[in-house]
Amino acid sequence: MHGLGHGKLALALCLLGLSQSGCDIVQGFRDASAAVFPDEKTYFDAPGFRLVRGEYRDLEFASGSSLYLLARPADRDDDSLYVMRYADPRPCVLNHVKWHVPGVGVFLDATTIAYTEEGTDEGTLRFADGDCHTYPMSIPDSRLYRIETAEGFVVKQGLGLAMVNPVTGANRTIVSDGVLVGGFAYFYVIYSQAQGKIGAFRADWKEVGWFGNGVDQRVGVGSSYFYHDAAGVHRLVAASTESVTDTVIAAKGCNLELTQNLGVAENWVTYYSPCESKKLVAYGESAGHASELDIPTAPGHLAFLPAYPNQSGDPAVDPFYIFYLTDVDGSVGQLVLRTPERQTKVIGQRAAFERLSVFSSAEETHGYALVDVEGDLGRFVRWDTDGSTLGIAQGVVRGNGDLVTDFDGSTGKFALLSESGLSTISKRVPSSGFKMRDGKNRWTAIIDDFKDQKATLSITESTLDFSEAARTPAPDPELKVIDHDVLWDYRAQFVPALPGIAYLTHYDPEKDIGRLEYRNLELQFTATISDGVATYLATPGGLIYSVPLGDGAGIWVVRSR
């Protein structure tokens, strides 16, 4: 939401040297202009210097009035959390910290760490500062906060939500009974089951108003929020930055659902109106227009695509491709296409609607679908508007992510459409999370031969994006192997300050350490940063990494050059 997004921005500004002086990363940014406009460097000045001695592993930043570094002890059974000001690293310790979340720089009264000692979903929420001073405020039966603001932290309190400031001790009840369920335009939305209402709250968490009577369905989409209650289907929109307009759009409506978006400008919700006759209606969020449909399906089991080249319109009268499910069994059903000429074509049985994709041009329209689904796997087909289908792959993983075929329960093949048909790009990949794109959109990192968290790491300039490959089939992308036996987890990252990627090799799972390597993707060289590394943080000025064991134990800083 707004506060969290601003917090990430604040942390980024802090790391770039654009925030208060307490955020300076010493020896990382000596030149203020370089901090504001950091040039991309070429290599790391390894092994760097030891910031602090000690046996530490997991590293994090906490930002607020100053920049602090957090670390866990090398012993996994020790639930202590060490905290140190980055500019003057003298560690202090918070004891019995099972779960925690560091401040991200939106709340500036202090640099805070919120934590619970219980290590469960709910416990006593406490706050400490960067000097390990624990504030008197404690909130029982709460959980780690969701949103950080300039005023304080939005936390669960009892059955409701509160805005708390651990520094001043202020505790402002936002709602005594309710949960955050979403947002629209300038507002957060809270649902109170006890009241049967939804509340709109401004970005500063001040109440705007409560709406509805017996709210039982709700959907946020675009700049609107829809809900159903005893009076029918309503739409909330922003009248200004401080007020909301509530309009009943279907007095006898029910079964409010969101439709799948097929990449067009408009979003639709669907519902029955009137409810007793189950007349299907689609409501365009941007257009603010209701369309009665003669489609034999239930709300939510539809997707709309205006005939090329249109991006919006009225699906009741304008030429549209309408996709819908019949004979629904759980989350799958018979997938049917109605063409702009209002002819119906059955694409397949037991289709997973989320996997549907459509590609239109002036010449023709076609797409892909996952049918014959059993469990989490199905058969992938290409369909054409005449109703014909062509089998493409078997054992395809459900979901709307990358195309993983021939999945055996552990790994499968990552495939893309190409000039030669369906091409296998990587073998033995997990069901998801096996590739990533760098922040400047230059390279994609992808793995192969994944086993026991380790894999072969390769790089390509291709985006390896299914939609892009389906729209414009191209030759198979060229992959360049970077290294083998690479630990493939959060420690494989593109480095923001350099044209390259960092990762761990020679991984020891018992000690959870490895050799930190850096590959420069422009100059094609690999450099070793250090052995025995547990974790690291990539910053615009270089890397901060922990060595938990041995003579070199400590937290190290290596600058980019």
Side-chain angles (χ1 to χ4, degrees):
M1 305 296 287
H2 302 293
L4 183 58
H6 291 165
K8 290 182 177 179
L9 175 60
L11 177 56
L13 293 176
C14 181
L15 294 178
L16 287 169
L18 299 179
S19 190
Q20 61 282 354
S21 60
C23 281
D24 288 343
I25 297 180
V26 295
Q27 301 192 44
F29 303 109
R30 294 183 179 277
D31 187 326
S33 65
V36 177
F37 305 106
D39 293 328
E40 194 169 69
K41 308 300 193 302
T42 300
Y43 64 92
F44 288 115
D45 192 11
F49 66 93
R50 185 155 37 189
L51 187 68
V52 62
R53 294 179 181 273
E55 297 182 345
Y56 307 104
R57 48 175 72 249
D58 302 335
L59 300 177
E60 296 175 277
F61 281 121
S63 181
S65 56
S66 297
L67 182 66
Y68 285 79
L69 190 61
L70 312 183
R72 288 289 194 177
D75 181 0
R76 292 290 191 187
D77 294 327
D78 186 343
D79 59 7
S80 301
L81 180 67
Y82 289 90
V83 186
M84 63 201 83
R85 187 188 297 268
Y86 191 88
D88 185 17
R90 300 177 184 179
C92 61
V93 63
L94 292 170
N95 295 310
H96 308 303
V97 178
K98 288 289 182 66
W99 291 358
H100 72 283
V101 59
V104 294
V106 179
F107 180 70
L108 296 179
D109 287 9
T111 300
T112 58
I113 300 101
Y115 66 96
T116 64
E117 298 178 351
E118 292 85 351
T120 58
D121 187 46
E122 291 196 359
T124 300
L125 180 63
R126 305 178 189 277
F127 292 87
D129 66 12
D131 297 317
C132 298
H133 165 70
T134 300
Y135 293 104
M137 173 179 286
S138 65
I139 306 169
D141 300 320
S142 187
R143 57 174 66 100
L144 296 177
Y145 68 82
R146 297 182 63 179
I147 296 172
E148 176 178 340
T149 76
E151 180 182 353
F153 303 90
V154 178
V155 303
K156 176 184 178 295
Q157 181 171 263
L159 298 176
L161 298 172
M163 176 72 72
V164 301
N165 183 321
V167 176
T168 65
N171 185 324
R172 173 171 68 87
T173 298
I174 297 173
V175 58
S176 59
D177 187 304
V179 295
L180 178 65
V181 293
F184 70 101
Y186 316 104
F187 307 101
Y188 295 100
V189 177
I190 291 176
Y191 171 62
S192 172
Q193 185 175 11
Q195 299 182 63
K197 296 177 178 293
I198 59 173
F201 288 74
R202 298 186 326 209
D204 60 3
W205 291 92
K206 300 296 176 61
E207 181 181 310
V208 173
W210 287 90
F211 306 90
N213 176 22
V215 174
D216 56 4
Q217 295 156 355
R218 55 189 190 273
V219 171
V221 60
S223 57
S224 304
Y225 202 88
F226 298 85
Y227 70 92
H228 173 264
D229 72 349
V233 177
H234 300 242
R235 181 192 186 196
L236 294 180
V237 295
S240 68
T241 58
E242 298 186 354
S243 62
V244 171
T245 299
D246 180 16
T247 304
V248 176
I249 60 174
K252 297 182 179 181
C254 66
N255 291 71
L256 172 68
E257 297 285 351
L258 180 66
T259 68
Q260 180 171 327
N261 188 290
L262 294 175
V264 296
E266 183 63 281
N267 290 289
W268 285 271
V269 295
T270 48
Y271 49 85
Y272 288 135
S273 181
C275 189
E276 58 270 19
S277 62
K278 292 190 174 182
K279 184 67 176 179
L280 187 63
V281 175
Y283 188 93
E285 190 271 329
S286 298
H289 176 72
S291 304
E292 294 188 2
L293 303 175
D294 56 346
I295 302 293
T297 192
H301 297 313
L302 300 96
F304 305 106
L305 182 72
Y308 184 88
N310 297 322
Q311 286 288 301
S312 61
D314 184 345
V317 297
D318 294 328
F320 263 71
Y321 292 96
I322 300 179
F323 303 86
Y324 58 97
L325 294 181
T326 64
D327 303 323
V328 175
D329 178 13
S331 60
V332 298
Q334 176 177 261
L335 179 59
V336 182
L337 161 65
R338 192 177 83 170
T339 70
E341 297 76 30
R342 296 178 177 261
Q343 297 179 337
T344 57
K345 310 290 182 180
V346 175
I347 293 176
Q349 307 298 321
R350 297 191 60 79
F353 210 38
E354 78 275 3
R355 190 85 232 190
L356 174 67
S357 57
V358 188
F359 301 94
S360 289
S361 67
E363 289 74 32
E364 55 93 34
T365 295
H366 72 277
Y368 300 88
L370 190 65
V371 299
D372 300 333
V373 171
E374 295 295 338
D376 293 325
L377 303 178
R379 185 169 64 92
F380 197 62
V381 300
R382 171 185 163 132
W383 55 263
D384 286 284
T385 53
D386 62 1
S388 62
T389 61
L390 174 66
I392 299 294
Q394 300 278 354
V396 173
V397 177
R398 282 195 67 171
N400 55 7
D402 296 304
L403 184 62
V404 178
T405 73
D406 302 294
F407 193 72
D408 63 8
S410 177
T411 61
K413 301 174 182 177
F414 168 57
L416 279 181
L417 298 166
S418 68
E419 289 180 340
S420 57
L422 188 69
S423 296
T424 297
I425 306 302
S426 286
K427 298 179 181 178
R428 292 180 292 281
V429 300
S431 60
S432 62
F434 49 83
K435 67 182 179 71
M436 60 181 173
R437 190 73 174 165
D438 85 298
K440 293 187 178 180
N441 200 31
R442 294 168 294 184
W443 300 289
T444 301
I446 187 167
I447 59 167
D448 214 329
D449 298 320
F450 179 76
K451 184 179 180 180
D452 298 330
Q453 288 189 278
K454 292 183 287 187
T456 296
L457 173 64
S458 298
I459 294 290
T460 178
E461 293 183 1
S462 169
T463 61
L464 301 182
D465 179 74
F466 174 82
S467 294
E468 182 179 312
R471 288 191 183 92
T472 310
D476 291 353
E478 180 181 353
L479 270 62
K480 183 176 182 60
V481 174
I482 299 301
D483 215 330
H484 301 280
D485 292 322
V486 172
L487 179 65
W488 185 253
D489 65 2
Y490 66 96
R491 286 166 283 194
Q493 302 177 35
F494 286 103
V495 182
L498 293 94
I501 187 169
Y503 51 90
L504 294 186
T505 61
H506 298 76
Y507 178 65
D508 182 336
E510 182 177 347
K511 297 178 179 178
D512 192 25
I513 58 174
R515 176 178 295 170
L516 180 56
E517 309 264 18
Y518 165 71
R519 176 71 174 183
N520 186 301
L521 300 174
E522 286 187 346
L523 301 181
Q524 302 295 310
F525 71 83
T526 301
T528 297
I529 305 300
S530 175
D531 283 301
V533 174
T535 55
Y536 69 92
L537 299 173
T539 79
L543 297 180
I544 302 168
Y545 63 92
S546 65
V547 176
L549 306 171
D551 294 338
I555 299 173
W556 293 72
V557 174
V558 57
R559 291 177 293 171
S560 54
R561 293 288 192 181

